[in-house]
Amino acid sequence: MEFAGKFLKPVWRPMMQAARLYCEKPMRSLVAFPVAKVESGKSKYMMAHVYIHGEMGSAKQVIRSLSKAKYHLDVYDELKKEAESMGLCTQGLGGGYLVHDKEKKYIKLYGRSQALGKADHEAAREILQPIYTDHKIDAESGGMEP
């Protein structure tokens, strides 16, 4: 036992420090990843999980909206690029429509995405409320955008 300790002690600390740095970088990226990015006006929005590869238990729910998006999958593609640039993975949870009026301090969530399905608007409201504390946020159930 003394023999093994003699050889492992000098390399044990540097090995643990290297492993800690490897684990900390993805976790720092996940913690730093913005929970919501909401544009003004009417836009398509989506909810997604962002997580460290192989660690779905540490997933973070995020909201993204994009007014110039033609399809909800365009919003998802932008989110996926943003997450991959930080070494993170994504899973779409659903989409809908979002109206953000900065002057009236009002956000409305409604509708659904044909490709991604309907987002849980109530959960989206709960994610947005701490960020937009001075806004009134309505989450409606509803069908497809006319």
Side-chain angles (χ1 to χ4, degrees), residues 15-108:
M15 282 176 35
M16 287 305 293
Q17 202 161 11
R20 202 174 296 125
L21 288 175
Y22 175 76
C23 294
E24 285 177 1
K25 187 176 187 289
M27 187 54 75
R28 271 188 261 133
S29 295
L30 184 62
V31 169
F33 197 83
V35 173
K37 286 188 180 176
V38 175
E39 293 186 359
S40 286
K42 183 179 175 182
S43 60
K44 290 178 172 58
Y45 93 94
M46 65 156 304
M47 277 181 74
H49 276 141
V50 175
Y51 59 97
I52 299 166
H53 182 73
E55 296 182 33
M56 191 64 173
S58 64
K60 183 179 194 178
Q61 278 191 336
V62 299
I63 306 285
R64 291 294 183 275
S65 79
L66 199 59
S67 58
K68 65 180 181 179
K70 188 173 181 180
Y71 302 105
H72 285 90
L73 287 175
D74 296 336
V75 181
Y76 183 71
D77 289 342
E78 288 297 316
L79 171 68
K80 190 173 177 183
K81 284 179 200 171
E82 182 183 357
E84 286 177 349
S85 73
M86 297 175 79
L88 300 169
C89 301
T90 59
Q91 177 189 19
L93 299 175
Y97 295 88
L98 181 144
V99 177
H100 182 202
D101 189 338
K102 284 185 178 179
E103 292 174 11
K104 293 181 180 176
K105 297 183 185 290
Y106 178 73
I107 297 175
K108 179 180 178 181

